[in-house]
Amino acid sequence: MRLEEKDLAYIWHPCSQMKDYETLPPKIIARGQGVYLYDIDGNEYMDIVSSWWCNLLGHCNPTISKRMQAQLDTLEHVIFANFSHEGAIQLCEELANLLPKGLTKFNFSDNGSASVECALKMAFQYQNQIGRPEKQRFMCLTNGYHGETMGALSVGTMDLYAKLYQPMLMDTIRIEAPDCYRCPYGRTRDSCSCECFEKAEAAFAQFAQETAAMIVEPLLQGSAGMRIYPPLYLEKLRDLCTKQEVLLIADEIATGFGRTGKMFACEHAGITPDIICLSKGLTGGYLPMSLTVTTETIYRAFYADYREGKAFLHSHTYSGNPLGCAAALAVLQVFREEPILEEAQANADYLSAQMQKAFGDHPHVGEIRSIGLIHAIELVKTKETKEAFDPNLRMGYQIYREALELGLVLRPLGDVLYFNPPLTIKWEELKKAIQQTKEAIKRVLGE
Ligand SMILES: *Cc1c(COP(=O)(O)O)cnc(C)c1O
């Protein structure tokens, strides 16, 4: 049996209708280098989506690989209750200096969803222990995505992933998110004063007393199609949360580590959340690891004699895994030794200009939007009305298949095509990716 057939005999792939694989069998990848993946037949694919947004500094990055190899021969794992190790300690010290000021207490998990679960439980217990036990609910934005486990799905609001499971989920308070492309107030992203924030104000007026925390993806609602909203919205939300004693949880799982042009998206708004969730880029995409980081104030509410029952009795087997910490330390080392953010910014400017040139006039390209190196193209039925295509036409998916044939991994979000490449991508590679995208769009939608 060929490997492809064996794969289909055994493997249930994530986020897939497996019947699609009848006509698009899995690519069996043999190796990766930089922005490229190579399959077992020697075909090359440019990984313009960073292998689900986690591959931050290229495949087989020499600095990360080397540091992890050294760690492998020293300590692979150790129980993290009552035990610790130098890598974890050093990682937290370095991150405390990079994170928005005040985030100094680190709790380790092993994937993004788990870090969200941890944040929700932490917020709930905090409110309970400081004498606000009535604050038991959570607020979130529509079009938000925070992962696939029950708590994370409960604060997720994309019907595609969450609707069917509603009976299993918590009853959360949903606030209509900013929609800058189809702004109901007729404003534009760059010049508005976030009139849409009135929706948040109304929800807080009604529900803040019963709300433990509000969770948001700062500035970029990734899974909903790289929807971008202004920093001012986040500034206003920080103020409102503080006033109403609702904790602010920033889910920076997708936006952290330079993806939006700054180390963390919260920096654009100059705010510190009460809790931040990190994963994906944290280990450069080498190993599953995540962090839920909070403030001294929140940490203190759990600090008491054991018999008071205030401890946070939350754990994962692989908390603080030394191999993951070694990868994460290597990522920070690369940021120190190389001008990653500066070069990514120069390439982002190049990419914005080239995308505008290549797709700006296409009748089915509604909006081209970007933040940092992340660039998205929203396809529409007609540019003038901004009307979407019938989702059953699967335009984005059709283009994805054409792009794959051309050697580009352009996995879409519905009808939104996007680039979210490793920050180390070269401008020549971006140029090539644009040409491939242009050809793939042409094959499905015409010139
Ligand atoms: C990917 C993602 C998650 C979930 O992380 P997993 O590691 O896939 O569980 C949560 N929030 C955001 C914003 C994400 O992009």
Side-chain angles (χ1 to χ4, degrees):
M1 248 202 284
R2 276 178 55 85
L3 272 177
E4 280 174 10
E5 291 163 21
K6 272 200 204 180
D7 175 284
L8 293 176
Y10 294 111
I11 297 175
W12 194 343
H13 286 272
C15 203
S16 296
Q17 170 48 266
M18 290 308 299
K19 192 162 191 295
D20 283 347
Y21 288 54
E22 284 178 10
T23 54
L24 182 64
K27 311 282 178 204
I28 315 290
I29 298 302
R31 62 189 186 89
Q33 189 59 58
V35 72
Y36 289 108
L37 297 167
Y38 300 90
D39 71 14
I40 47 172
D41 300 319
N43 297 309
E44 179 184 275
Y45 305 91
M46 197 193 294
D47 187 4
I48 207 72
V49 298
S50 292
S51 282
W52 261 344
W53 318 354
C54 63
N55 183 267
L56 191 72
L57 302 168
H59 291 282
C60 292
N61 180 289
T63 307
I64 307 176
S65 296
K66 204 172 132 207
R67 207 154 167 167
M68 275 190 63
Q69 275 156 14
Q71 186 63 45
L72 260 176
D73 293 330
T74 322
L75 177 68
E76 81 303 329
H77 188 61
V78 61
I79 178 174
F80 209 50
N82 290 122
F83 288 80
S84 193
H85 59 91
E86 192 178 347
I89 298 163
Q90 196 185 335
L91 176 63
C92 295
E93 183 178 32
E94 287 185 21
L95 277 174
N97 288 318
L98 290 172
L99 282 164
K101 208 169 152 42
L103 294 168
T104 53
K105 295 291 180 187
F106 293 74
N107 198 297
F108 286 81
S109 305
D110 43 28
N111 64 73
S113 306
S115 74
V116 169
E117 301 286 342
C118 175
L120 298 176
K121 285 175 68 182
M122 193 185 277
F124 180 96
Q125 188 171 343
Y126 168 78
Q127 298 285 16
N128 186 287
Q129 288 176 183
I130 62 160
R132 300 177 196 144
E134 68 286 358
K135 285 182 170 279
Q136 297 190 348
R137 299 182 72 191
F138 294 94
M139 287 182 182
C140 51
L141 291 177
T142 55
N143 297 303
Y145 180 84
H146 301 287
E148 299 293 345
T149 50
M150 290 302 146
L153 262 191
S154 298
V155 287
T157 45
M158 289 185 65
D159 284 349
L160 177 64
Y161 305 119
K163 194 169 182 191
L164 176 73
Y165 308 103
Q166 273 321 315
M168 302 170 72
L169 305 179
M170 293 187 286
D171 180 23
T172 48
I173 299 148
R174 298 165 170 215
I175 298 171
E176 197 180 315
D179 183 353
C180 300
Y181 174 41
R182 298 180 178 86
C183 178
Y185 301 85
R187 306 297 301 269
T188 63
R189 190 182 288 123
D190 303 321
S191 64
C192 77
S193 36
C194 293
E195 286 78 357
C196 57
F197 193 72
E198 67 183 19
K199 306 278 184 192
E201 283 166 344
F204 271 73
Q206 195 176 351
F207 297 112
Q209 325 83 286
E210 54 194 271
T211 301
M214 161 108 194
I215 184 166
V216 287
E217 293 161 272
L219 266 53
L220 176 78
Q221 294 191 295
S223 298
M226 300 297 176
R227 294 163 56 115
I228 299 163
Y229 64 88
L232 179 62
Y233 191 94
L234 199 57
E235 280 177 52
K236 290 186 178 206
L237 191 60
R238 172 69 278 182
D239 285 347
L240 190 56
C241 283
T242 305
K243 274 195 202 102
Q244 302 274 4
E245 298 173 328
V246 169
L247 297 183
L248 179 61
I249 303 171
D251 176 351
E252 290 236 23
I253 291 165
T255 50
F257 301 95
R259 289 295 190 188
T260 68
K262 299 204 185 276
M263 203 60 177
F264 300 101
C266 285
E267 290 172 35
H268 292 278
I271 64 134
T272 298
D274 299 292
I275 303 176
I276 199 168
C277 297
L278 307 173
S279 189
K280 293 203 165 109
L282 173 64
T283 62
Y286 267 64
L287 279 176
M289 190 167 86
S290 62
L291 286 167
T292 307
V293 193
T294 192
T295 60
E296 187 69 29
T297 308
I298 291 177
Y299 175 79
R300 281 282 141 198
F302 295 73
Y303 201 91
D305 287 329
Y306 187 81
R307 64 187 138 72
E308 288 182 54
K310 288 189 170 177
F312 191 41
L313 297 179
H314 178 94
S315 68
H316 288 289
T317 309
Y318 287 101
S319 289
N321 176 257
L323 292 166
C325 291
L329 279 166
V331 166
L332 298 183
Q333 182 187 337
V334 173
F335 273 106
R336 269 197 312 276
E337 292 174 354
E338 298 169 34
I340 300 291
L341 288 181
E342 292 81 350
E343 282 175 11
Q345 189 53 54
N347 283 328
D349 294 342
Y350 170 81
L351 183 55
S352 300
Q354 295 301 312
M355 271 211 175
Q356 202 55 47
K357 218 161 99 186
F359 308 112
D361 295 329
H362 195 287
H364 294 297
V365 170
E367 187 181 47
I368 302 171
R369 48 183 177 260
S370 69
I371 184 164
L373 256 183
I374 297 173
H375 282 64
I377 301 171
E378 180 159 344
L379 302 170
V380 290
K381 200 164 148 193
T382 43
K383 213 182 175 92
E384 292 67 34
T385 61
K386 303 182 180 177
E387 191 192 342
F389 280 113
D390 176 350
N392 290 322
L393 292 174
R394 303 181 81 190
M395 287 303 179
Y397 179 72
Q398 288 187 53
I399 293 168
Y400 167 56
R401 293 182 62 144
E402 293 297 336
L404 262 183
E405 242 167 58
L406 295 162
L408 181 70
V409 186
L410 192 63
R411 193 184 160 89
L413 297 157
D415 286 342
V416 176
L417 310 172
Y418 68 91
F419 289 9
N420 185 7
L423 302 179
T424 45
I425 194 169
K426 308 265 186 306
W427 71 267
E428 298 92 328
E429 293 161 341
L430 289 168
K431 186 175 172 186
K432 183 171 158 191
I434 289 179
Q435 279 157 359
Q436 290 165 318
T437 303
K438 197 168 177 177
E439 176 60 25
I441 291 179
K442 189 176 119 189
R443 288 187 188 177
V444 177
L445 293 171
E447 297 266 11

